[in-house]
Amino acid sequence: MSSPASQSVLKPATATADSLFEIGAVLTIGASLIFVLVMVLLALALRRRPPDTKPFNAGLWIIGGGVVFPVLVLSALMVYASVRTSQLTTRPDPRDGLVISVTAKLWWWEVRYRDPTSGRDILLANEIRIPQGRPLTLALSSADVIHSFWVPELAGKVDMVPGRLHHLHLEARKPGVHRGQCAEYCGEQHALMALHVVVLPADEFDSWLAAQARPAQTPKDEPAQRGRATFLQARCNACHTIRGVSEESTLGPDLTHVGSRLFIGAGTLPTHRGTLGGWIADTQGIKPG
């Protein structure tokens, strides 16, 4: 995936993000008009006038510029924002759309798909891949403290409260990579709790999901065989699952096909041989806690 990850509210990539951008732009313009008026009135009040200047009606300026104008503008903005927000929150759920479960944990994201062939769950971590042009629902929850799911180019922030399930409906327009971030302070590594949403063409997504449903390949060369043995001997499987190797723990991120993900450590480092080695050798030095 050559497209760089982006995290900007100024680059909406879904209809929901379009609506949020529109609301933000209208509110900013309205607030700017009020600010400009206040500055003009302030300049007029500070201006030195000749002694023979006819006095102006201060009461009219105060009532008109200080009361009527702000009340009209702010009321109009409030009604507009309320109507547009209501339209966003009352959109019908997509029928028969893809459902992806996302669970926030300290300090990473568990992502769960349902294999359409076998019906089994497919677990990933810190990366969500979605098909272009298909409506889908993200089912958001938290396993510990309050987190907040925020991918600004796709939608607004959604709090993830323990014991509650929140839904976010999306339909991405074009392929690309969008960076997300936990937007609710959740502890020591809150700043390094990121994730990436990768939008793929629909047929490419189907092929990717089928590949993710398969267990890890049996190592064929000697270094890979030693790596498998080390994974088991060092008891990495006490926290991590690799399907086809050891599936006894879900305490930490599922590492099946981890090399196919763009980043490791919840968006902390790009995935390649060097960063994987550095992460294994000194995890606490990279991400303390």
Side-chain angles (χ1 to χ4, degrees):
M1 178 64 64
S2 59
S3 175
S6 177
Q7 182 177 337
S8 172
V9 296
L10 303 180
K11 299 177 181 179
T14 66
T16 300
D18 285 339
S19 299
L20 292 173
F21 177 80
E22 176 193 308
I23 293 172
V26 171
L27 293 179
T28 300
I29 292 171
S32 299
L33 290 176
I34 295 177
F35 175 79
V36 170
L37 176 64
V38 171
M39 292 299 101
V40 170
L41 293 177
L42 178 62
L44 291 174
L46 296 176
R47 186 183 60 178
R48 184 184 296 275
R49 295 181 293 119
D52 57 346
T53 302
K54 182 179 179 180
F56 61 87
N57 190 333
L60 182 63
W61 278 100
I62 292 174
I63 294 174
V67 178
V68 176
F69 180 79
V71 167
L72 290 176
V73 174
L74 292 175
S75 297
L77 291 176
M78 181 182 68
V79 171
Y80 165 78
S82 299
V83 171
R84 292 294 287 126
T85 303
S86 176
Q87 292 173 346
L88 280 175
T89 56
T90 56
R91 285 178 178 173
D93 297 352
R95 294 184 177 181
D96 301 324
L98 176 68
V99 178
I100 304 171
S101 299
V102 181
T103 304
K105 300 187 177 184
L106 294 173
W107 288 275
W108 59 285
W109 310 84
E110 181 185 84
V111 183
R112 189 182 298 263
Y113 295 81
R114 179 63 58 86
D115 181 6
T117 302
S118 67
R120 296 185 59 187
D121 286 347
I122 305 170
L123 264 66
L124 289 83
N126 305 316
E127 184 174 291
I128 305 172
R129 299 209 176 196
I130 62 176
Q132 172 192 1
R134 287 186 194 169
L136 60 94
T137 299
L138 298 182
L140 307 174
S141 61
S142 171
D144 33 59
V145 301
I146 297 177
H147 299 274
S148 185
F149 182 91
W150 187 42
V151 185
E153 294 178 354
L154 302 181
K157 298 176 185 176
V158 180
D159 284 344
M160 306 169 78
V161 181
R164 298 184 62 181
L165 187 64
H166 304 266
H167 293 94
L168 179 62
H169 307 299
L170 300 174
E171 184 175 344
R173 285 193 293 260
K174 60 182 180 179
V177 184
H178 309 282
R179 188 181 188 275
Q181 177 71 41
C182 177
E184 179 80 24
Y185 180 73
C186 55
E188 183 178 6
Q189 285 303 321
H190 163 71
L192 293 180
M193 186 177 170
L195 79 160
H196 291 80
V197 179
V198 182
V199 183
L200 300 173
D203 54 348
E204 188 175 333
F205 170 81
D206 292 336
S207 299
W208 169 84
L209 187 61
Q212 292 294 315
R214 293 192 286 268
Q217 294 182 0
T218 302
K220 295 180 174 59
D221 54 23
E222 194 271 337
Q225 291 171 354
R226 284 194 291 114
R228 177 190 176 111
T230 301
F231 177 83
L232 297 173
Q233 292 168 3
R235 290 294 292 150
C236 301
N237 57 329
C239 295
H240 300 283
T241 280
I242 296 180
R243 282 179 280 115
V245 177
S246 176
E247 303 181 27
E248 61 189 63
S249 179
T250 58
L251 181 63
D254 188 301
L255 299 182
T256 311
H257 309 304
V258 65
S260 66
R261 299 169 195 168
L262 300 181
F263 290 83
I264 59 172
T268 304
L269 296 170
T271 303
H272 55 70
R273 186 182 296 270
T275 54
L276 284 168
W279 180 263
I280 294 170
D282 189 18
T283 307
Q284 291 297 316
I286 298 172
K287 192 171 180 177

